[in-house]
Amino acid sequence: MAGRADSTVLAGARVVLPTGTVENGRVTVEGTRITGSPAEGARTIDLTGHWVVPGFVDMHNHGGGGASFTSGTVDEVLTGVRTHREHGTTTLVASTVTGEMDFLAERAGILSELVEQGDLAGIHFEGPFISPCRKGAHSETLLRHPDPAEVRKLMDAARGTAKMFTLATELPGGIESVRLLAEHGVIAAIGHTDATYEQTVEAIDAGATVATHLFNAMPPFAHRDPGPIAALLEDERITVELINDGTHLHPAALQLAYHHAGAARVALITDAMDAAGFGDGQYQLGPLAVEVKDGVARLVEGDSIAGSTLTLDTAFRRAVTLDRIPVEDVVRSISANPARLLGVYDKVGSLEPGKDADLVVLDADFALKGVMRKGEWVIEPELG
């Protein structure tokens, strides 16, 4: 760990900019911001042989470091945030799981304070407005239809910090809830859904803009009944979330999504739970017991996948080295696209003068070597 880099030039690396990769590039940091030119006497760090990419933006994350965003104390939530920062995620949205409405409203109040002080980028409510047919790791007894009045209750409890709701939009009240969210600038995400193709199109037309962890917790594609997957992939208004951990998706499914949606419409997420960056063992996801074994989280009862133990540095490295996705496309998917969706691209998501000095240093094999957030090293590169 190290302190603030008041005036620093990161030199010699391959720097990924919105316009492409610059060989032997330079990133200048002054205080908390990226600047166009260095101040006199700036410290220079030679990063020859490395990559410098924007800090990662995770818009779907339930916890890490042994801590849950749904049930943890403030200190525990901050432990989870720090864990993901150490893996390159400099902007993070806290996701909840299904619970009683009053409990979720209370959690929204707690998490909103952390948004207001800059530790979180917003709140994502995943449940309780989802389908019992595709509930995944959510308690069926607590599920409910997406009543716009109840959606509004959680929005109000979040005090303007709600960024996204995942809804089964085919349920009663689903379309009305999508319209309500769209009117208030909150992302309506289609997920944990049993919708038909036609019902999904209706939800998109009403204002839905995100597919929650595409392919997972929704009907599979069939040639006479294409379901939500086809509608979500084909519509240019939809950004598709992908969990690239090797468990949630076959590599061919990842390639299919990139091919049909294009890099501009993919957001790589973790859907991480408490065990991310922590280890195997017994955990709770909301009211449900989870066992993590060999890095895979499953419900103790029913064996459903229960989130992931993924961190975004691993997702990045897999995408480039195993899936052969171009580095520039991975950067769009893991930084720029989610930043735009969250409405924070003016501050983060790319390496440009005036933006926050949020960046990640990777070695030639795409292993994480350094993380900077707002000009301060979270992990300072140890260079020979």
Side-chain angles (χ1 to χ4, degrees), residues 18 29 38-39 47 53 116 136 149 155 182 186 189 191 225 259 269 289 306 308 322 325 350 369 372 378:
V29 175
L47 292 177
V53 300
E116 290 161 1
M155 287 173 57
V186 179
D225 184 14
H259 177 75
I269 61 162
S308 84
L322 297 178
I325 307 295
S350 65
K369 293 299 178 181
M372 179 183 283
V378 178

Coordinates of all heavy atoms in Angstrom, one line a residue, residues 18 29 38-39 47 53 116 136 149 155 182 186 189 191 225 259 269 289 306 308 322 325 350 369 372 378:
P18 N -9.8 5.4 -25.3 CA -11.0 5.2 -26.1 C -10.7 5.1 -27.6 O -11.5 4.4 -28.3 CB -11.8 6.4 -25.8 CG -11.3 6.9 -24.5 CD -9.9 6.6 -24.5
V29 N -0.9 11.9 -13.9 CA -1.8 12.0 -12.8 C -1.4 13.2 -11.9 O -0.2 13.4 -11.6 CB -1.8 10.8 -11.9 CG1 -2.7 11.0 -10.7 CG2 -2.3 9.6 -12.7
P38 N 2.4 16.8 -17.5 CA 2.9 16.7 -16.1 C 3.3 18.0 -15.5 O 3.7 18.9 -16.3 CB 4.1 15.7 -16.2 CG 4.6 15.9 -17.6 CD 3.3 16.2 -18.5
A39 N 3.2 18.1 -14.2 CA 3.8 19.3 -13.5 C 5.3 19.1 -13.4 O 5.8 18.1 -13.5 CB 3.1 19.4 -12.1
L47 N 6.8 1.8 -16.7 CA 6.0 0.6 -16.8 C 6.2 -0.1 -18.1 O 5.2 -0.8 -18.6 CB 4.5 1.0 -16.6 CG 4.1 1.5 -15.3 CD1 2.6 2.0 -15.2 CD2 4.3 0.5 -14.2
V53 N -4.8 0.2 -18.1 CA -6.2 0.3 -18.5 C -7.0 1.0 -17.5 O -6.6 1.2 -16.3 CB -6.7 -1.2 -18.7 CG1 -5.9 -1.9 -19.8 CG2 -6.8 -1.9 -17.4
E116 N -23.3 8.1 -0.9 CA -23.2 9.6 -0.7 C -21.8 10.0 -0.3 O -21.3 11.1 -0.7 CB -24.2 10.1 0.3 CG -25.6 10.0 -0.3 CD -26.7 10.0 0.8 OE1 -26.3 10.1 2.0 OE2 -27.9 10.0 0.5
G136 N -33.3 -18.9 -9.1 CA -31.9 -19.1 -8.8 C -31.7 -19.1 -7.3 O -32.5 -19.8 -6.5
A149 N -45.8 0.6 -6.9 CA -45.8 1.3 -5.6 C -44.6 0.7 -4.7 O -44.0 1.5 -4.0 CB -47.1 1.1 -4.9
M155 N -37.1 2.8 -4.3 CA -36.4 3.9 -4.9 C -36.3 5.1 -3.8 O -35.3 5.7 -3.7 CB -37.1 4.4 -6.1 CG -37.0 3.5 -7.3 SD -38.1 4.1 -8.7 CE -37.6 5.7 -8.9
A182 N -37.8 3.9 -15.9 CA -37.2 4.7 -17.0 C -37.5 6.2 -16.8 O -36.6 7.0 -17.1 CB -37.8 4.1 -18.3
V186 N -33.6 5.3 -13.7 CA -33.1 4.1 -13.1 C -33.2 3.0 -14.1 O -34.1 2.8 -14.8 CB -33.9 3.8 -11.8 CG1 -33.3 2.5 -11.2 CG2 -33.9 4.9 -10.8
A189 N -33.7 -3.7 -15.6 CA -33.0 -4.9 -16.1 C -33.9 -6.1 -16.1 O -34.6 -6.3 -15.2 CB -31.7 -5.1 -15.3
G191 N -34.3 -9.9 -15.9 CA -33.6 -11.0 -15.4 C -34.4 -11.9 -14.4 O -35.5 -11.4 -14.0
D225 N -39.2 -21.4 -30.1 CA -39.6 -20.6 -28.9 C -38.3 -19.9 -28.4 O -37.7 -20.3 -27.4 CB -40.2 -21.4 -27.8 CG -40.7 -20.7 -26.6 OD1 -40.8 -19.4 -26.7 OD2 -40.9 -21.3 -25.5
H259 N -20.4 -11.7 -30.4 CA -20.6 -11.7 -31.8 C -21.9 -11.0 -32.2 O -22.0 -10.2 -33.1 CB -20.7 -13.1 -32.4 CG -21.0 -13.2 -33.8 ND1 -20.0 -12.9 -34.8 CD2 -22.1 -13.5 -34.5 CE1 -20.6 -13.0 -36.0 NE2 -21.8 -13.4 -35.9
I269 N -19.5 -8.5 -15.6 CA -19.8 -8.3 -14.2 C -19.2 -9.5 -13.4 O -18.8 -10.5 -13.9 CB -21.3 -8.2 -13.9 CG1 -22.0 -9.5 -14.4 CG2 -21.9 -7.0 -14.7 CD1 -23.4 -9.7 -13.8
A289 N -28.6 -20.7 2.7 CA -27.3 -21.2 3.0 C -26.6 -21.6 1.7 O -27.2 -22.2 0.8 CB -27.4 -22.4 3.9
A306 N -25.1 -20.0 -6.8 CA -25.5 -18.9 -5.9 C -24.5 -17.7 -6.0 O -23.6 -17.5 -5.2 CB -25.5 -19.4 -4.5
S308 N -21.2 -15.7 -7.7 CA -19.9 -16.2 -8.0 C -18.8 -15.8 -7.0 O -19.1 -15.0 -6.1 CB -19.5 -15.6 -9.4 OG -18.9 -14.3 -9.3
L322 N -8.0 -16.6 -22.7 CA -8.7 -17.8 -23.0 C -9.8 -17.6 -24.1 O -9.9 -18.4 -25.0 CB -9.4 -18.4 -21.7 CG -8.5 -18.8 -20.6 CD1 -9.3 -19.3 -19.4 CD2 -7.5 -19.9 -21.1
I325 N -10.7 -12.4 -26.7 CA -11.4 -11.1 -27.0 C -10.4 -10.0 -27.1 O -9.5 -9.9 -26.2 CB -12.5 -10.8 -25.9 CG1 -13.4 -11.9 -25.7 CG2 -13.2 -9.5 -26.3 CD1 -14.3 -12.3 -26.9
S350 N -12.7 5.5 -18.6 CA -11.7 5.7 -19.6 C -10.6 6.5 -19.1 O -10.7 7.3 -18.1 CB -12.3 6.3 -20.9 OG -12.7 7.6 -20.6
K369 N -1.0 -6.0 -11.4 CA 0.2 -5.6 -10.7 C 0.0 -4.2 -9.9 O 0.8 -3.9 -9.0 CB 1.4 -5.4 -11.7 CG 1.8 -6.7 -12.3 CD 2.3 -7.7 -11.3 CE 2.7 -9.0 -11.8 NZ 3.2 -10.0 -10.8
M372 N -4.8 2.0 -9.0 CA -4.9 3.4 -8.5 C -6.4 3.8 -8.5 O -7.1 3.6 -9.5 CB -4.1 4.3 -9.4 CG -4.1 5.8 -8.9 SD -3.2 6.9 -10.0 CE -1.5 6.6 -9.5
V378 N -4.0 1.9 -4.5 CA -4.5 0.9 -3.7 C -3.5 -0.2 -3.6 O -3.3 -0.8 -2.5 CB -5.9 0.4 -4.3 CG1 -6.4 -0.8 -3.4 CG2 -6.9 1.5 -4.4

